[in-house]
Amino acid sequence: MNPGHRMGSSLPMIIECIKIICNIKQTSLANPGPSVKRLLDNMKVKWCAYFTEFPPIISIAAILDLGVKLEGLTNLLTFYYQQLDVNFDVPYYVNKCKRILERLCEDYGAVIQPQPVGSSMGAFRFGILGPVLKKQRPDGPGSSSSSNTGIGEYLSYQHETEEDFHIIQWWKNHSSKFSVLAKIAKDILAIPASTIASKSAFSAGRRVLDEKRSRLSSESIEMC
């Protein structure tokens, strides 16, 4: 399976991070010169400043990948931190991501699923968001209602994925079976894995229009 072909997944980002660290480690073990070794060490320190812990949103997106889920994410991150030579509690982190997903399912489920007749004035005032505002948040992984949101069924769902597997399309086709999770997948998997494109646009704009060139017309800015 080539993870790069898995459309709509954050998995390629995790895979690319693992590749980068493996290349740094292999190059460092090849006994390069002192200047290269110092450069590699600095790269590793810089890398750890950003990627010692992945943002949970990226890992949740990986959990929503049929070919990854909890076990696959645990295996990937365990291998990643072994290559990084960092002591990291992977099971705790993966369980934290699972709890976040469970809470998302509760909040989404309160909005998506129809509410019983006879709701309070507070719920009427805020419409379908009333139950979300009043909901008691769970403190532990065992206190969420996984049976109502379909998390347990999804995690035990057996499905073989092809190389050109399209995650967004799969969730669309299975939205009736996993209505709450499909809505979450639609929102989370649409988030760009990197902010490089948006930052690049702002950087380019700052070079064109700054405090010394603040009176350019829209046509001149477009040409620049």
Side-chain angles (χ1 to χ4, degrees), residues 140-187:
S143 57
S144 61
S145 180
S146 298
S147 59
N148 294 333
T149 58
I151 293 180
E153 185 178 3
Y154 163 72
L155 293 176
S156 61
Y157 189 83
Q158 299 297 323
H159 181 83
E160 294 295 331
T161 58
E162 302 296 333
E163 183 175 307
D164 58 350
F165 175 67
H166 198 300
I167 299 174
I168 300 295
Q169 187 62 45
W170 188 91
W171 280 108
K172 180 180 180 181
N173 295 339
H174 291 77
S175 58
S176 58
K177 183 178 182 64
F178 305 106
S179 58
V180 176
L181 279 173
K183 177 61 178 173
I184 295 175
K186 178 182 176 182
D187 290 344

Side-chain angles (χ1 to χ4, degrees), residues 12 41 50 68-69 82 93 97 119 129-130 141 157 175 193 201 211 214:
D41 291 341
Y50 289 94
V68 184
K69 298 183 181 176
Q82 287 175 349
Y93 169 77
C97 294
S119 58
L129 294 178
Y157 189 83
S175 58
E211 59 182 8
S214 59

Side-chain angles (χ1 to χ4, degrees), residues 95-122:
N95 193 44
K96 180 180 75 172
C97 294
K98 181 175 180 284
R99 292 199 304 268
I100 294 174
L101 179 58
E102 288 173 341
R103 292 183 178 183
L104 280 173
C105 284
E106 287 193 339
D107 290 346
Y108 272 71
V111 174
I112 295 174
Q113 296 172 0
Q115 301 301 317
V117 179
S119 58
S120 64
M121 289 300 294

Side-chain angles (χ1 to χ4, degrees), residues 15-220:
I15 293 294
E16 290 303 317
C17 288
I18 293 176
K19 288 180 180 178
I20 291 172
I21 289 303
C22 285
N23 287 334
I24 292 176
K25 185 172 183 178
Q26 290 173 3
T27 306
S28 180
L29 292 175
N31 297 320
S35 58
V36 176
K37 182 69 165 59
R38 186 165 53 252
L39 176 63
L40 292 172
D41 291 341
N42 290 336
M43 290 175 63
K44 186 175 178 181
V45 171
K46 182 83 170 184
W47 184 271
C48 289
Y50 289 94
F51 291 107
T52 295
E53 178 175 331
F54 286 101
I57 194 72
I58 293 177
S59 298
I60 290 174
I63 294 173
L64 294 172
D65 186 318
L66 270 292
V68 184
K69 298 183 181 176
L70 295 177
E71 183 179 359
L73 179 62
T74 301
N75 294 338
L76 281 172
L77 294 181
T78 299
F79 178 76
Y80 170 75
Y81 289 110
Q82 287 175 349
Q83 300 303 306
L84 197 59
D85 297 321
V86 170
N87 186 17
F88 189 83
D89 193 344
V90 174
Y92 175 82
Y93 169 77
V94 173
N95 193 44
K96 180 180 75 172
C97 294
K98 181 175 180 284
R99 292 199 304 268
I100 294 174
L101 179 58
E102 288 173 341
R103 292 183 178 183
L104 280 173
C105 284
E106 287 193 339
D107 290 346
Y108 272 71
V111 174
I112 295 174
Q113 296 172 0
Q115 301 301 317
V117 179
S119 58
S120 64
M121 289 300 294
F124 177 79
R125 175 189 173 193
F126 293 105
I128 60 174
L129 294 178
V132 177
L133 296 173
K134 296 171 59 179
K135 183 174 292 296
Q136 296 285 336
R137 288 197 175 273
D139 294 327
S143 57
S144 61
S145 180
S146 298
S147 59
N148 294 333
T149 58
I151 293 180
E153 185 178 3
Y154 163 72
L155 293 176
S156 61
Y157 189 83
Q158 299 297 323
H159 181 83
E160 294 295 331
T161 58
E162 302 296 333
E163 183 175 307
D164 58 350
F165 175 67
H166 198 300
I167 299 174
I168 300 295
Q169 187 62 45
W170 188 91
W171 280 108
K172 180 180 180 181
N173 295 339
H174 291 77
S175 58
S176 58
K177 183 178 182 64
F178 305 106
S179 58
V180 176
L181 279 173
K183 177 61 178 173
I184 295 175
K186 178 182 176 182
D187 290 344
I188 289 182
L189 296 178
I191 301 174
S194 172
T195 59
I196 291 177
S198 59
K199 288 183 176 180
S200 177
F202 279 104
S203 297
R206 186 168 59 250
R207 289 193 295 269
V208 173
L209 188 64
D210 57 24
E211 59 182 8
K212 296 181 179 179
R213 304 175 67 191
S214 59
R215 298 186 65 182
L216 290 176
S217 64
S218 58
E219 292 79 8
S220 298

